[in-house]
Amino acid sequence: MTRPFLLIDADDTLWENNIYFERAFEEFVAFLDHSSLSPGQIRSVLDEIEEVNSRVHGYGSLNFGRNLRQCYQHLAERDVSPEDLDTVMGFAQRILECPMEVIEGVPDTLEYLSLRCDLTLFTKGNPEEQKLKIGRSGLGAFFSHTSIVKEKDAAAYLLLVEERKLEPERTWMIGNSPKSDINPALEAGLGAVFIPHARTWILERQEVRTDSARLLILERFGDLRKHF
């Protein structure tokens, strides 16, 4: 039987990720202690900063720290000191110290899939940071290839297909992000498996393209066993 090619996202698909950024943001809000802006309003300001800066600097905890620092400089109601900026950066730097929380059912399902499919770990972000998380997760051995890119758009999928000589009709992208995992994969002519995560980062949310016959929507990662 011909083996499918499965491209699998990492953050918030294989392990928890955004919850740690949310906790860092809560620490930031408490430290900022703004007299009038609600956490939601502060979050909106930060979202705007992140949307602009991610196009230039990419993702990861270091860039998140820089975004928090810029947000603090913009919103602080007191004189900004170097010590304040160090404190703000510390909220983000501690993200890397958080324990890896592999999502339930992932290891067993990856082991099952690795015997039946060609698995590629396809993630975006800071390469060194992503490699560190892959190593700490203990999941890297299930994958025949790993690709870390700055942005996961349709062009990135097409390039990966070309580089690995994948057959689009037998290739599926699996992930939690409509923006990075699902919609661009469908646009590139691949299949896509959407596994929603309740804490997906707001800038990764989009309406999922439902006009494709090659879209699967599953409740949990372990459900992949039923389809592959």
Side-chain angles (χ1 to χ4, degrees):
M1 185 175 65
T2 304
R3 288 159 61 93
F5 299 100
L6 302 186
L7 316 178
I8 303 179
D9 174 52
D11 295 333
D12 292 322
T13 296
L14 300 181
W15 53 70
E16 299 290 354
N17 180 65
N18 195 49
I19 58 172
Y20 300 117
F21 287 81
E22 291 180 350
R23 291 172 190 172
F25 174 71
E26 291 171 359
E27 291 182 296
F28 172 78
V29 169
F31 181 72
L32 177 65
D33 192 25
H34 201 279
S35 64
S36 60
L37 294 182
S38 68
Q41 291 171 317
I42 296 169
R43 178 78 247 190
S44 294
V45 174
L46 180 61
D47 288 343
E48 292 178 5
I49 292 171
E50 290 191 295
E51 188 166 16
V52 172
N53 289 348
S54 65
R55 299 171 192 160
V56 179
H57 302 295
Y59 305 92
S61 60
L62 177 60
N63 289 320
F64 180 65
R66 291 169 177 162
N67 295 333
L68 284 181
R69 186 171 60 189
Q70 184 176 338
C71 188
Y72 182 82
Q73 290 172 313
H74 180 62
L75 296 179
E77 297 176 299
R78 52 185 178 266
D79 291 339
V80 177
S81 69
E83 292 75 20
D84 287 343
L85 298 180
D86 288 343
T87 298
V88 169
M89 284 295 294
F91 299 146
Q93 290 168 344
R94 286 197 292 275
I95 291 173
L96 286 178
E97 300 171 4
C98 294
M100 293 295 299
E101 292 186 53
V102 175
I103 292 174
E104 183 179 0
V106 164
D108 291 345
T109 302
L110 284 179
E111 182 177 14
Y112 173 90
L113 294 174
S114 68
L115 300 176
R116 293 158 175 78
C117 309
D118 184 295
L119 304 186
T120 293
L121 184 58
F122 190 37
T123 183
K124 69 179 184 180
N126 179 279
E128 295 307 313
E129 188 170 323
Q130 293 303 93
K131 289 176 184 176
L132 177 64
K133 288 192 284 187
I134 294 167
R136 291 174 61 199
S137 74
L139 302 177
F142 295 117
F143 296 89
S144 61
H145 181 78
T146 297
S147 179
I148 303 172
V149 296
K150 183 177 179 180
E151 194 64 73
K152 287 161 66 177
D153 52 19
Y157 284 94
L158 291 171
L159 181 60
L160 182 63
V161 166
E162 180 182 356
E163 289 178 342
R164 298 216 60 222
K165 296 180 171 54
L166 307 179
E167 299 175 31
E169 64 274 12
R170 293 198 290 119
T171 303
W172 296 76
M173 178 63 202
I174 299 163
N176 69 292
S177 167
K179 178 185 176 184
S180 296
D181 301 326
I182 307 307
N183 293 337
L186 294 173
E187 184 182 345
L190 312 181
V193 183
F194 180 38
I195 306 176
H197 189 294
R199 308 291 283 274
T200 294
W201 184 29
I202 190 170
L203 295 186
E204 292 293 330
R205 300 175 191 173
Q206 284 181 350
E207 289 295 322
V208 174
R209 290 180 49 174
T210 57
D211 58 345
S212 174
R214 297 196 64 200
L215 171 67
L216 290 174
I217 301 177
L218 305 181
E219 288 188 15
R220 57 187 64 85
F221 195 86
D223 291 342
L224 291 166
R225 293 170 179 251
K226 303 173 185 178
H227 299 274
F228 299 98

